[in-house]
Amino acid sequence: MKPLLGFFDSGVGGLTVLKRVLERHGAVPSVYLGDTARVPYGNRAPAEIRLIAAEVVAWLRDQGVTTVVMACNTTNALARDVAEGQAGCPVIGLIGAAAAMVETRRVGVLATPATVNSGAYRASIEALHPGSVVMEQACPAFVPLIEAGDLFSDDLRRAAQDYLEPLLSASVDSIVMGCTHYPLLVPLFRQLLPDSIQLIDPAIGVAQQLDAVLGPPGTPMADCLQLEACSFNVTADPDGFANRATPWLGERPSVVHQRLQQPDRDH
Ligand code: DGL
């Protein structure tokens, strides 16, 4: 069966995962869903996040995807079982991949409030690295500010300073970017962090895990991403999404609006 990868996130964050996969594997047929009508996920209650995950994964299944990539840590932390129940195909997630990438003993994790409250990162890192010290920091302001588009705004810089400060005080030696939106902030993080602190992007581990599905990576063929086999879908504001995606992807994607939710039967 020809592979068709299905990626989903609440917005542009999952593009950081898609990009790592395309960089490693070239033109991979993919369907991307950004649930922009409901961003952010990470400030929502667990039950709501689980309902959303069921709906978006069912939509991907209906598109005929052969592997689901949960390009969203929040659903990964709270609804991995839901995704596996709906997908009808293998599901690949970020949190285990991130834990496998940890190499130091004092580990900071930046993530959404829902992901931090789930304890999923702490559990996964401690299981693989007993004796490590894990310090999690919830970052509720990041996703709305990133989706607003200015990655160097004063508000983002102030929020980053606030969220990094406890991790710096705790002398972490690596920081996991436990939300797929956060790799968009690497230039800002690098301005605020000493070089000695390693930034871990779980998407790199996910792209490596996909070798099992897509085969080993070939020689990189192009210095730009090959997007021709990708379809981009959102639940709101396709133009805004295309604008925000363009700097990251290196070209403007064409984006289709999708309606996921069933119409309300009472109206
Ligand atoms: N980018 C997602 C994550 O990795 C969702 C963030 C959000 O919508 O709050 O958690």
Side-chain angles (χ1 to χ4, degrees):
M1 193 170 22
K2 259 187 87 187
L4 177 63
L5 304 185
F7 294 80
F8 74 90
D9 180 46
S10 58
V12 291
L15 296 176
T16 66
V17 185
L18 178 70
K19 184 171 180 172
R20 292 293 189 186
V21 172
L22 298 184
E23 281 171 348
R24 186 171 175 88
H25 293 285
V28 187
S30 306
V31 179
Y32 185 95
L33 177 66
D35 191 7
T36 41
R38 292 184 286 201
V39 67
Y41 286 173
N43 301 354
R44 294 175 188 269
E48 198 179 357
I49 292 165
R50 289 173 68 76
L51 282 175
I52 290 173
E55 203 171 70
V56 294
V57 174
W59 184 86
L60 287 173
R61 183 195 61 217
D62 292 348
Q63 310 311 304
V65 304
T66 58
T67 301
V68 168
V69 180
M70 300 184 80
C72 164
N73 290 270
T74 305
T75 46
N76 208 150
L78 288 144
R80 169 110 194 195
D81 58 326
V82 173
E84 285 170 345
Q86 288 289 334
C89 64
V91 174
I92 291 189
L94 293 149
I95 296 176
M101 291 172 73
V102 166
E103 288 172 340
T104 63
R105 296 194 76 73
R106 300 187 68 79
V107 188
V109 178
L110 298 172
T112 66
T115 299
V116 169
N117 290 339
S118 77
Y121 261 104
R122 177 183 299 282
S124 188
I125 295 169
E126 286 178 352
L128 217 55
H129 307 279
S132 58
V133 176
V134 180
M135 167 102 195
E136 295 178 284
Q137 175 64 46
C139 311
F142 272 165
V143 169
L145 288 169
I146 292 168
E147 291 284 340
D150 179 358
L151 299 179
F152 288 95
S153 69
D154 290 342
D155 285 347
L156 253 178
R157 174 175 289 272
R158 268 193 298 274
Q161 282 165 335
D162 286 351
Y163 298 148
L164 292 174
E165 199 276 322
L167 301 185
L168 289 168
S169 300
S171 303
V172 300
D173 34 33
S174 61
I175 295 178
V176 177
M177 294 181 283
C179 166
T180 54
H181 280 75
Y182 302 171
L184 294 164
L185 300 179
V186 165
L188 178 59
F189 290 153
R190 286 279 50 134
Q191 286 177 9
L192 299 173
L193 290 170
D195 292 344
S196 57
I197 296 186
Q198 186 197 355
L199 279 172
I200 296 177
D201 181 355
I204 293 174
V206 167
Q208 288 168 358
Q209 278 185 18
L210 280 168
D211 291 2
V213 175
L214 302 170
T219 337
M221 283 169 296
D223 53 9
C224 58
L225 293 183
Q226 296 169 270
L227 298 180
E228 59 274 12
C230 301
S231 104
F232 293 93
N233 305 273
V234 291
T235 51
D237 189 18
D239 275 349
F241 181 90
N243 291 341
R244 294 190 294 282
T246 301
W248 185 248
L249 297 177
E251 66 180 272
R252 188 179 173 84
S254 78
V255 182
V256 178
H257 180 257
Q258 302 288 351
R259 198 180 175 85
L260 260 56
Q261 284 156 303
Q262 297 299 319
D264 187 341
R265 275 187 235 129
D266 295 337
H267 293 89

